[in-house]
């Protein structure tokens, strides 16, 4: 039996060709395409190209050409069904089975999509053909600056209650199938089926392949009797937490844009697109879900969540932050953007334009971990209980993070920030706090921290661990001695530590002959102080922590070397450079 076209299309829509190919071929970005050495023959000059926009690869030296399924079948010697199973799993989809129930379900889905397609096409055509007659609709669209081109791009329609669309659909579909679509509901009093989107602008909500699968309706009569926005109810084929409005279009810009804006409503998406910001999607009236974050991570490296600036928007942002933090990955970012009071993305770009929005975005992004910290920090009232609750809450949030490296560094960040402003110190009671002094100190530390790189932060952790636990040097000297320190001052400290160790004078490294200010800087900015203090005397744990930090430093060295070789390869395409680059990338994956 054949796999349904819709199932295969969704796999292709979820996976970039470059993501699949790069698992076995080292690719280099060149314009809109990626290039690399052909996997089908030995060659010195790259002749193999990948085009994500068009969804294919092509090898100029052999003529091989195809999509992601073809690539796996030809390079991994898989049958088509095996390639589909592998890629559906990679895309996070359920495997397709060919039972009778699956066949029936697929037939139902086909009819379901046809109903939505006919409904949205009918009212879209009706809007464009009768715009001058529908004066109240025309005036609303003008007010919102929605031109006919914008309406065509998003296939916006108007569900005119004077047109009996139910009877029109009955000509081609059974009453049962029409009701199951969720477009209509039964009016018990009148004994008729009513269009739930009547007298509303309708915005087709497409699946990732571009097929209309649900509808968003916007009332243009803001009289308080009707909800301003409504969506299709959940059905067998439409789950709000698994889709995002406009993802089918926005994903196509992932080759050009690293960033995706996640906004609250479809009017915000339309407003941003209208001024040329096409990389925007909206959730569908529900809290942000894990699946929506995972879907966006397939296409974009940086998710910017931009909810309304009112209380409900802020609360929704906090819920989204806590829910999405657990899906954060080392090569991905999630940030939040709050627009000025009483503004949403649509109103902001209408007043200020594209450049102003992008500039405001660039200057006002809040990293996800900072938003969470600042939010719960507001509940502290300088009592031991409030600090205990604060720390426990942040630890619980950190422990939900799935990636172990992100979990570690977010927890370090939280603990470091807690230690900065807590009024309690070890073995002491409550300190008297001078708010002015604390504020000035915090400002000073913050300004200093802006000049510190991530590499320095990791070096500070490494040096702090050695200075506090000299025994580790003796126990782990073989892995310590080859660590490369890039920062001049930190490298000087490390060299002195090694010298002191070799001279058998390493019992108290804090007394080594080094400028005290350099040592103080290590102690001030090392993010692992709290963790080390809490595990003092636990040599086994400290050894594992040291090994992890050394591994991170090695990866920094590896990443810098890879960047150097990629820059070189992009200019000379030398085979030796490429081979070394390939080996380093393999080593990077192992680490």
């Amino acid at each position: 039996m054949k796999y349904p076209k819709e199932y295969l299309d969704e796999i292709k829509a979820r996976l970039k060709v470059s993501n699949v190919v790069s698992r076995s071929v080292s690719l280099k970005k060149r314009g809109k395409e990626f290039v690399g050495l052909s996997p089908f023959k030995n060659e010195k000059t790259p002749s193999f190209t990948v085009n994500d926009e068009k969804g294919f690869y092509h090898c100029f030296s052999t003529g091989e050409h195809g999509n992601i399924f073809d690539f796996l079948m030809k390079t991994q010697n898989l049958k088509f069904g095996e390639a589909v199973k592998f890629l559906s799993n990679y895309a996070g989809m359920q495997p397709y089975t060919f039972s009778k129930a699956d066949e029936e379900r697929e037939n139902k889905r086909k009819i379901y999509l046809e109903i939505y397609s006919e409904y949205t096409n009918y009212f879209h055509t009706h809007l464009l053909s009768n715009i001058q007659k529908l004066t109240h609709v025309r005036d609303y669209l003008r007010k919102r600056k929605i031109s006919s081109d914008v309406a065509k791009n998003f296939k916006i329609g108007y569900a005119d209650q004077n047109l009996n669309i139910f009877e029109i659909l009955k000509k081609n579909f059974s009453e049962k199938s029409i009701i199951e679509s969720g477009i209509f509901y039964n009016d018990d009093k009148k004994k008729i089926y009513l269009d739930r989107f009547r007298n509303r602008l309708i915005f087709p909500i497409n699946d990732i392949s571009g097929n209309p699968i649900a509808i968003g309706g916007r009332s243009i009569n803001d009289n308080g009797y009707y909800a301003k926005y409504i969506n299709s109810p959940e059905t067998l084929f439409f789950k709000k937490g698994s889709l995002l409005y406009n993802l089918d279009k926005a994903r196509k810009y992932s080759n050009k844009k690293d960033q995706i804006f996640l906004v609250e409503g479809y009017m915000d998406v339309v407003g941003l697109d209208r001024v040329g910001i096409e990389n925007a999607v909206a959730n569908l009236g529900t809290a942000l879900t894990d699946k929506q974050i995972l879907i966006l991570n397939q296409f974009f490296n940086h998710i910017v969540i931009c909810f309304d600036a009112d209380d409900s928007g802020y609360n929704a942002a906090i819920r989204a932050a806590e829910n999405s933090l657990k899906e954060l990955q080392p090569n991905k970012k999630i940030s939040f953007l709050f627009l000025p009071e009483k503004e949403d993305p649509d109103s902001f770009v209408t007043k200020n334009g594209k450049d102003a929005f992008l500039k405001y975005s660039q200057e006002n992004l809040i990293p996800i971990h900072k938003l969470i910290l600042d939010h719960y920090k507001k509940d502290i009232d300088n009592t031991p209980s409030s600090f205990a609750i604060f720390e426990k809450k942040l630890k619980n949030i950190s422990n939900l993070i799935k990636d172990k490296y992100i979990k570690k560094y977010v927890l370090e960040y939280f603990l470091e920030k807690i230690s900065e402003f807590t009024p309690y110190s070890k073995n002491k009671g409550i300190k008297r706090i001078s708010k002015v002094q604390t504020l000035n100190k915090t400002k000073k530390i913050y300004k200093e921290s802006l000049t510190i790189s991530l590499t320095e932060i990791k070096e500070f952790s490494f040096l702090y661990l050695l200075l506090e636990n000299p025994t580790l040097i003796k126990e782990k000297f073989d892995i310590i001695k080859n660590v490369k320190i890039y920062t001049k001052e930190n490298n000087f400290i490390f060299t002195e530590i090694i010298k002191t160790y070799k001279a058998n004078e390493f019992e108290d490294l804090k007394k080594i002959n080094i400028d005290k200010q350099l040592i103080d800087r290590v102690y001030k900015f090392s993010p692992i102080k709290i963790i080390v203090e809490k595990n003092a005397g636990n040599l086994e744990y400290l050894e594992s922590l040291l090994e992890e930090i050394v591994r991170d430093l090695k990866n920094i060295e590896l990443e810098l070397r890879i960047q150097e070789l990629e820059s070189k390869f992009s200019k000379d395409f030398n085979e030796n450079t490429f081979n070394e680059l390939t080996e380093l990338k393999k080593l990077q994956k192992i680490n």
Side-chain angles (χ1 to χ4, degrees):
M1 291 180 67
K2 289 184 177 180
Y3 282 96
K5 180 178 181 297
E6 290 79 8
Y7 185 77
L8 301 178
D9 285 346
E10 182 161 355
I11 294 175
K12 288 191 285 187
R14 287 188 178 212
L15 298 175
K16 292 183 183 181
V17 184
S18 60
N19 285 349
V20 175
V21 171
S22 64
R23 291 169 66 91
S24 55
V25 177
S26 181
L27 298 176
K28 181 70 180 177
K29 192 92 161 57
R30 185 188 287 173
K32 292 183 179 181
E33 296 185 332
F34 294 85
V35 297
L37 296 176
S38 173
F40 304 109
K41 70 174 288 189
N42 292 325
E43 62 181 11
K44 296 181 179 180
T45 303
S47 66
F48 182 75
T49 65
V50 171
N51 190 309
D52 283 331
E53 285 186 27
K54 296 179 180 177
F56 65 71
Y57 65 86
H58 182 81
C59 178
F60 287 95
S61 61
T62 64
E64 291 286 356
H65 179 96
N67 57 31
I68 51 176
F69 303 109
D70 301 317
F71 182 80
L72 277 194
M73 290 165 66
K74 291 174 181 176
T75 59
Q76 305 296 323
N77 197 26
L78 299 179
K79 294 180 180 177
F80 180 69
E82 293 172 326
V84 173
K85 287 178 182 177
F86 176 86
L87 291 171
S88 65
N89 180 60
Y90 186 35
M93 294 169 58
Q94 290 294 322
Y96 191 85
T97 53
F98 293 100
S99 65
K100 188 174 181 181
D102 289 318
E103 255 190 279
E104 291 173 358
R105 187 180 187 280
E106 194 53 41
N107 287 333
K108 277 188 175 183
R109 176 181 166 84
K110 185 178 177 183
I111 292 169
Y112 178 93
L113 293 177
E114 286 174 354
I115 290 171
Y116 267 94
S117 181
E118 185 166 331
Y119 179 93
T120 53
N121 283 338
Y122 182 84
F123 282 128
H124 174 61
T125 302
H126 173 67
L127 174 65
L128 295 183
S129 303
N130 297 277
I131 190 65
Q132 296 307 320
K133 297 177 185 176
L134 299 167
T135 54
H136 63 304
V137 181
R138 181 194 64 206
D139 292 344
Y140 179 82
L141 293 177
R142 282 179 181 170
K143 178 184 173 184
R144 301 304 294 262
K145 297 190 182 298
I146 298 176
S147 65
S148 59
D149 287 339
V150 173
K152 288 175 185 176
N153 184 32
F154 288 93
K155 217 163 189 178
I156 298 170
Y158 178 68
D160 195 329
Q161 70 170 356
N162 297 317
L163 301 173
N164 195 338
I165 185 66
F166 189 87
E167 293 301 320
I168 295 171
L169 290 172
K170 276 177 66 176
K171 294 176 183 177
N172 297 317
F173 307 101
S174 71
E175 187 171 299
K176 183 174 182 290
S177 296
I178 296 171
I179 298 306
E180 287 177 348
S181 72
I183 296 173
F184 302 88
Y185 67 91
N186 187 24
D187 186 324
D188 293 328
K189 292 182 180 179
K190 296 181 179 179
K191 304 296 182 184
I192 58 171
Y193 287 104
L194 295 177
D195 181 351
R196 70 176 66 247
F197 299 103
R198 65 192 183 283
N199 294 330
R200 291 178 181 270
L201 282 178
I202 58 171
F203 298 77
I205 298 168
N206 299 334
D207 64 17
I208 203 164
S209 301
N211 304 303
I213 199 168
I215 290 169
R218 208 293 182 189
S219 173
I220 56 176
N221 299 314
D222 295 334
N223 52 22
Y225 292 107
Y226 301 103
K228 188 184 292 186
Y229 296 102
I230 61 170
N231 290 323
S232 293
E234 292 204 342
T235 65
L236 182 62
F237 305 108
F238 170 56
K239 306 298 178 189
K240 294 179 184 178
S242 301
L243 281 177
L244 289 155
Y245 178 68
N246 197 48
L247 182 61
D248 57 310
K249 293 187 180 72
R251 69 181 179 85
K252 296 174 184 176
Y253 296 96
S254 60
N255 288 330
K256 305 171 186 175
K257 311 281 186 182
D258 191 53
Q259 196 176 70
I260 182 76
F261 290 101
L262 174 59
V263 296
E264 283 195 82
Y266 27 80
M267 286 299 292
D268 290 325
V269 171
V270 172
L272 290 174
D273 186 272
R274 177 170 49 79
V275 298
I277 302 173
E278 304 100 337
N279 50 322
V281 295
N283 61 339
L284 304 173
T286 60
L288 194 62
T289 65
D290 303 2
K291 190 163 186 180
Q292 288 169 328
I293 292 295
L294 290 170
I295 290 170
L296 289 177
N297 277 340
Q298 288 276 358
F299 302 103
F300 298 92
N301 292 327
H302 188 186
I303 302 171
V304 177
I305 299 174
C306 181
F307 289 168
D308 291 351
D310 56 18
D311 288 342
S312 63
Y314 176 79
N315 292 331
I318 295 301
R319 290 196 301 272
E322 290 188 14
N323 200 36
S324 53
L325 182 68
K326 59 189 174 187
E327 300 297 342
L328 203 57
Q329 300 170 24
N331 58 336
K332 304 291 181 180
K333 287 169 63 179
I334 299 175
S335 301
F336 286 78
L337 177 65
F338 295 100
L339 296 176
E341 191 175 354
K342 296 183 180 179
E343 294 283 13
D344 57 38
D346 181 32
S347 66
F348 189 96
V349 295
T350 298
K351 294 174 186 174
N352 306 293
K354 173 183 177 180
D355 291 342
F357 179 84
L358 294 178
K359 184 174 185 292
Y360 184 89
S361 169
Q362 188 177 10
E363 294 173 351
N364 292 277
L365 289 182
I366 303 172
I368 184 170
H369 49 279
K370 187 178 186 305
L371 177 69
I372 292 172
L373 178 87
D374 290 345
H375 173 70
Y376 286 105
K377 186 177 165 185
K378 295 174 185 174
D379 296 330
I380 297 173
D381 58 10
N382 283 340
T383 64
S385 176
S386 68
F387 273 99
I389 293 169
F390 177 57
E391 183 172 342
K392 184 177 180 180
K393 181 67 179 179
L394 293 181
K395 283 182 177 178
N396 289 341
I397 291 171
S398 302
N399 286 332
L400 294 174
I401 300 171
K402 295 176 182 177
D403 184 273
K404 65 178 183 179
Y405 296 107
I406 293 292
K407 180 189 293 187
K408 173 189 168 191
Y409 289 113
V410 169
L411 180 58
E412 285 181 6
Y413 171 83
F414 284 157
L415 293 175
E416 175 64 19
K417 292 299 178 184
I418 290 169
S419 69
E420 281 182 15
F421 54 76
T422 178
Y424 306 99
S425 61
K426 197 173 181 182
N427 299 323
K428 292 181 181 180
I430 300 177
K431 293 181 181 178
R432 293 186 179 275
I433 305 170
S434 165
K435 292 185 178 180
V436 175
Q437 288 179 354
T438 302
L439 181 61
N440 289 338
K441 182 180 177 183
T442 303
K443 281 183 178 179
K444 184 179 178 183
I445 291 172
Y446 174 72
K447 287 180 180 178
E448 287 182 55
S449 68
L450 292 178
T451 64
I452 297 174
S453 68
L454 291 175
T455 301
E456 281 184 279
I457 291 291
K458 186 54 61 181
E459 291 173 355
F460 289 148
S461 295
F462 174 66
L463 295 173
Y464 177 83
L465 200 50
L466 299 185
L467 290 168
E468 280 293 302
N469 300 274
T471 308
L472 290 174
I473 305 173
K474 183 177 180 181
E475 297 294 330
K476 295 291 179 180
F477 187 70
D478 285 343
I479 68 167
I480 291 171
K481 65 182 180 182
N482 293 321
V483 170
K484 189 167 184 179
I485 303 294
Y486 286 90
T487 310
K488 183 179 177 181
E489 293 82 357
N490 289 342
N491 188 50
F492 175 70
I493 296 172
F494 182 52
T495 302
E496 288 300 312
I497 289 174
I498 297 300
K499 281 182 185 177
T500 306
Y501 166 75
K502 289 180 177 178
N504 292 317
E505 297 173 356
F506 64 97
E507 291 304 320
D508 189 355
L509 290 176
K510 283 179 279 188
K511 294 180 180 178
I512 58 178
N513 187 26
I514 298 177
D515 187 337
K516 185 176 180 298
Q517 287 186 337
L518 294 180
I519 299 294
D520 288 346
R521 197 160 183 263
V522 170
Y523 274 72
K524 180 187 289 186
F525 293 110
S526 170
I528 63 167
K529 288 186 292 187
I530 303 294
I531 294 175
V532 173
E533 285 175 11
K534 289 187 176 181
N535 291 276
N538 187 345
L539 186 60
E540 185 178 347
Y541 176 82
L542 295 177
E543 284 181 355
S544 67
L545 183 60
L546 176 67
E547 288 172 0
E548 195 170 331
I549 293 171
V550 169
R551 186 162 56 248
D552 290 343
L553 288 168
K554 291 282 186 185
N555 281 334
I556 290 171
E557 182 182 349
L558 201 59
E559 180 62 33
L560 290 172
R561 179 60 180 156
I562 287 172
Q563 289 175 9
E564 181 185 332
L565 289 174
E566 284 181 336
S567 176
K568 183 180 178 184
F569 182 67
S570 67
K571 296 172 184 175
D572 61 18
F573 286 97
N574 182 277
E575 185 177 6
N576 291 332
T577 304
F578 179 80
N579 290 337
E580 185 182 351
L581 189 56
T582 303
E583 290 304 313
L584 288 179
K585 286 195 172 183
K586 286 179 183 176
L587 184 60
Q588 190 180 39
K589 287 181 180 179
I590 294 171
N591 289 345

